[in-house]
Amino acid sequence: MYFAIIGEDFPDSLPLRLQVRPAHLSRIEALQAEGRLLLAGPFPRATPESPDVPGFSGSLIVADFPTQAECQAWADADPYVLAGVYSRVVIQPFRKVLP
């Protein structure tokens, strides 16, 4: 089953985020190599109205896990969680409808 993992960044966490990004991406790339990743990416703070706002407010990962408990364990071990980039992580079941 797919689960959405939504990580919310602490304010001003960009330097720390950049420092641990390679380890974070490595884990996501492993999900992709296993055929379990649907999508992943950050939420930029910049918008069309405010294109110069630096940093990110969080991230979204949608991936296949056997159970929500296994998804939670995977999320708890994420480098962004361990390093203190995320202030909160929410996990929700996800059903892809389109496309």
Side-chain angles (χ1 to χ4, degrees), residues 21-85:
R21 185 173 186 261
H24 170 76
L25 289 179
S26 177
R27 296 181 81 238
I28 296 170
E29 289 165 351
L31 287 176
Q32 184 177 21
E34 296 167 4
R36 298 171 47 200
L37 182 67
L38 183 62
L39 64 93
F43 300 120
R45 291 193 187 278
T47 65
E49 298 81 20
S50 303
D52 297 329
V53 177
F56 301 93
S57 62
S59 302
L60 170 66
I61 300 166
V62 180
D64 183 33
F65 290 89
T67 67
Q68 188 160 345
E70 289 178 67
C71 180
Q72 184 70 58
W74 187 91
D76 289 346
D78 188 275
Y80 283 177
V81 171
L82 299 176
V85 172

Side-chain angles (χ1 to χ4, degrees), residues 5-19:
I5 304 167
I6 305 156
E8 298 175 5
D9 285 24
F10 277 107
D12 303 316
S13 64
L14 183 59
L16 187 55
R17 177 185 262 270
L18 295 175
Q19 181 181 350

Side-chain angles (χ1 to χ4, degrees), residues 1-6 61-62 68 71 90-95:
M1 170 174 222
Y2 283 116
F3 291 92
I5 304 167
I6 305 156
I61 300 166
V62 180
Q68 188 160 345
C71 180
V90 175
I91 296 174
Q92 295 287 336
F94 182 85
R95 182 174 6 157

